[in-house]
Amino acid sequence: MPGILKTAFNRYWGVLLILVLWQAWVTIGELNAIVMPQPADVVVDLVGNPGIYLKNGVQTLALAGGGLLLGMAFGSLIAIACWFSRLATGMLVPLAMIFSSVPVVALIPVVARLLGYDIKTVMAIVVIVSFFPAFVFTSAGMRALPPGSEDLFQVLGASRKSRFRHLVLPAAVPNWMIALRLAAPSAVLSAMLAEFLMGQSGLGYMFRAAAGDFATERAFGTSVIATAVSVITFTLSQRAERAVNERWR
Amino acid sequence: MIRISKRRGQDIAYGAIGIAAFLGLWEYIGVNQLAGLTWPPLTAVLAFLFDPSRQTLFVRATSASFSMVGAGYVAGGVLGIVLAAVAHLVSPLKEGLGRLSSVIHSIPSIALAPLFIVLLSKEWSGMAIATLNVYFILFIATQSGLAAATRAHHDVFTVLGSNRFTRLIRLEAPAALPAIVSGLKYAVPAAFIGAIIGEWFGATRGLGLLMVSAMQNFQIPLLWSAVLITSAGSLMSFGLMSLVERFVYARYR
Amino acid sequence: MSGGTSILLDHVGKDFEMDDGRKVVAVEDVRLEIGAGEFVALIGPSGCGKSTLLRMLAALEQPSRGRVTVDGEAPEELSRNHRLGVAFQDHALLPWLSVEANVELPFRIASRAVDHARIAELIALVGLKGFEKARPSQLSGGMRQRVSIARALVLRPDVLLLDEPFGALDAVTRRQMNLELQRIWQEQHISTLLVTHSVDEALFLSDRVVVMSGRPGNILKEVSVPFGRPRDPEVMRSGEFHRLEDELTEALEQPGVAA
Ligand SMILES: Nc1ncnc2c1ncn2[C@@H]1O[C@H](COP(=O)(O)OP(=O)(O)O)[C@@H](O)[C@H]1O
Ligand SMILES: [Mg+2]
């Protein structure tokens, strides 16, 4: 089927090019197998040790997913609580914006030291990383109301409660989904980084262990699984956002 | 003279109160050791940070890290903008460049660690990850910016018999500028994150290295100082880009 | 309904302060009475303060001078008791709700039982049968305006305010909507203020046409419309209609008290 091949080439020539360059580099540079594993060796390690990869992959995915949802929940609940107080919003929003403009992963070592080297610390880090986008975007969404809607609710004699329920809360939903999409990849990344720096298990830890043992197939195999975990979270959050937007706008 | 509306003034005051409360809380927790010994008071961290005897240490680490950040920021920014423009102009390349970018984006930077350790000298992995992070943000921003000119504006150029180059320079590029500048703003923390992560993979210098070794050796004030410098650098660059963004939005939108 | 609601704008004026500190007089000094069950149309060049006047009536703006009363009370009472229907110039539909749910919204806000028959009837009346489940983003500008009219009417308000509600409609639909609006209004005799650009729409629908001058907004002229009801579109061909139309158009073309 040349048609399909052509489409595939049009789409993926860039990826292909990178792979060819990689192969060329390995061949021309004559890097030996300890430094640079053959793709086949990586596959053998993946297929030969499914248990290790699965266990650690699931752990990281669960930590990232659980922390993400918890952080999103905290962030949006606090944003909602703040809606009822201009002072609280005024105080917290600039702070949260400051935190979103600094590299939050730099807090990992600090949190690790504060809470101890523990799997709960990994979770706490993911919660912190997901909290800020959720708070910032939910707050903004509750203030970006459709044109004229505030006048409408006033004219209809809406109580504060019904304004909140029928206008403010639904208006924040698309922004909440943006926060989810933005927070998902950083949740996965920070879970792995936390495991890398201080964990005893999980994909991040596997990188460190493999590097220490010069087990390059294991390191590259872990890369494959880490990418898969990232793609899963990423795709799910993107799908969710798209589905919600279709219904919401 | 700038007139500040009452509402705006209130926002600024509340924000200042919030930041002051945060700093005060930090100090209070530290002084009373509410979070244990690993949470130092703000004043202790600042005193440690500005102690003249440690100046060389911090200056060396900061310049090493910030030059990685800067180099990655520039390289990623140029690559992202240029490749997005190429994808925009040469339609057969569009699909492939877009896919490549999103594949790169979906690989978490830590998964590139083995690759960088093998291929590059460890010293450069910070810059390389910063470059990739910035590249993706700028590629997407430029791509959507170049599509921002409205149908009606394009029709004007078509009717006037404009050539491709004129259309790019006079219509699409100015229309893309706000998106690009916003992209440059959001790329700032991404560049810092990239550089720090890269240094965690085994650099011999820099703030990231300082953080890890301080964490492992219980050097609490050193740890907080390194985090503080990194955050301050990112915050200031972000603030600077926000000013540029405000100017560009006022002029081009 | 006990004889309807009457509205008085008693020497009302409104100033806006611009960002640079300058003051803009949007409405200078307007005295306007809308009797119980009366239909008043307001015409005038754009920017003359028609919307501002309507917003003061809806208690969305506080007048800088003078006083607005509704049956002798503050206009806030109207919305507080869910007795006010407004169709805004920019429709103000909620994008996440379907047509049906948008029309339903006033019931929910007033915490009243949703009258599904009423909703279906109004949606049919504004010609949107079959679009109940559509979202505002899937509708044309004219269709959105019609949804907002249905929403304004759904609670059977005592006072109806319409800000250029048919602006985005084509001539044929507009004529049709005018007929429907007349029918609804006659059933209920709602005190109504209609802001419009169209002189013949104003003449066809209202009991009285008020012409405003350009900035600062003042009332230039008032004309009582003599035609009986229900009005047939035929009335628009009469000599009397044309005479009034010319008179009003001429008043509109007078240069406003130039600023
Ligand atoms: N919120 C506001 N702030 C400042 N100026 C306003 C505001 N609303 C209306 N204006 C000004 O008041 C004048 C009347 O506006 P408007 O009532 O909308 O006119 P119309 O509806 O007759 O077109 C205009 O000059 C407008 O610019
Ligand atoms: Mg108006």
Side-chain angles (χ1 to χ4, degrees), chain C residues 50-51 89 163-164 195:
Chain C
K50 304 181 297 291
S51 296
Q89 206 167 349
D163 197 349
E164 300 186 25
V195 172

Side-chain angles (χ1 to χ4, degrees), chain C residues 20-252:
Chain C
D20 57 8
R22 278 183 309 143
K23 202 173 74 174
V24 173
V25 182
V27 176
E28 191 168 49
D29 177 25
V30 165
R31 192 187 135 70
L32 176 65
E33 218 176 327
I34 302 173
E38 193 184 14
F39 194 127
V40 173
L42 186 60
I43 58 177
S46 71
C48 74
K50 304 181 297 291
S51 296
T52 305
L53 211 61
L54 183 138
R55 290 171 59 81
M56 287 194 282
L57 235 174
L60 291 170
E61 304 278 5
Q62 291 306 315
S64 310
R65 294 171 289 284
R67 213 158 79 91
V68 180
T69 49
V70 177
D71 282 342
E73 290 186 62
E76 284 84 354
E77 290 304 316
L78 269 182
S79 45
R80 190 166 304 150
N81 299 313
H82 317 293
R83 287 164 53 210
L84 178 59
V86 181
F88 292 97
Q89 206 167 349
D90 64 345
H91 67 74
L93 300 178
L94 297 186
W96 53 83
L97 296 182
S98 65
V99 165
E100 205 171 30
N102 263 296
V103 179
E104 209 174 282
L105 186 70
F107 283 108
R108 305 234 174 254
I109 289 179
S111 313
R112 290 188 197 159
V114 178
D115 182 348
H116 291 283
R118 170 82 178 155
I119 289 164
E121 173 201 328
L122 274 170
I123 289 177
L125 208 76
V126 297
L128 288 175
K129 213 174 163 131
F131 289 93
E132 290 85 353
K133 301 287 176 222
R135 287 186 191 287
S137 58
Q138 298 165 317
L139 304 179
S140 71
M143 289 157 105
R144 286 179 214 166
Q145 280 190 323
R146 277 136 70 193
V147 179
S148 105
I149 291 167
R151 184 180 61 190
L153 290 166
V154 76
L155 287 184
R156 300 177 202 277
D158 297 339
V159 174
L160 181 63
L161 307 176
L162 305 168
D163 197 349
E164 300 186 25
F166 307 126
L169 300 190
D170 62 280
V172 176
T173 319
R174 189 170 186 143
R175 189 63 51 85
Q176 224 173 319
M177 292 301 301
N178 284 346
L179 283 170
E180 292 297 350
L181 181 59
Q182 175 181 234
R183 206 167 64 70
I184 298 169
W185 178 79
Q186 269 207 289
E187 277 172 13
Q188 295 177 39
H189 273 267
I190 317 167
S191 311
T192 303
L193 181 69
L194 167 74
V195 172
T196 175
H197 271 308
S198 152
V199 173
D200 56 348
E201 183 171 280
L203 277 173
F204 178 71
L205 284 170
S206 71
D207 301 318
R208 190 150 48 96
V209 181
V210 176
V211 185
M212 276 182 81
S213 68
R215 252 185 294 170
N218 270 314
I219 291 181
L220 265 187
K221 190 181 183 73
E222 292 192 34
V223 170
S224 284
V225 182
F227 312 114
R229 292 189 191 265
R231 289 173 193 165
D232 192 273
E234 281 301 309
V235 80
M236 300 174 99
R237 305 226 177 98
S238 68
E240 178 70 0
F241 193 95
H242 285 304
R243 198 188 59 69
L244 287 171
E245 197 178 351
D246 290 345
E247 189 184 328
L248 288 170
T249 310
E250 199 177 317
L252 271 179

Side-chain angles (χ1 to χ4, degrees), chain A residues 28-129:
Chain A
I28 297 166
E30 290 178 3
L31 297 166
N32 63 27
I34 299 177
V35 181
M36 196 71 186
Q38 297 288 324
D41 296 337
V42 177
V43 174
V44 167
D45 194 61
L46 274 168
V47 176
N49 306 285
I52 295 174
Y53 285 110
L54 193 67
K55 185 175 139 280
N56 291 293
V58 166
Q59 181 195 312
T60 302
L61 186 60
L63 280 175
L68 173 66
L69 291 182
L70 212 58
M72 292 284 302
F74 274 136
S76 2
L77 282 178
I78 291 184
I80 287 170
C82 280
W83 184 79
F84 291 94
S85 153
R86 223 176 96 57
L87 177 66
T89 316
M91 281 172 63
L92 284 183
V93 167
L95 264 183
M97 290 204 315
I98 288 176
F99 271 89
S100 346
S101 59
V102 305
V104 193
V105 293
L107 293 179
I108 296 176
V110 170
V111 179
R113 215 44 304 163
L114 280 173
L115 303 181
Y117 284 21
D118 192 339
I119 203 163
K120 274 181 280 176
T121 307
V122 177
M123 184 86 155
I125 283 161
V126 180
V127 170
I128 292 171
V129 166

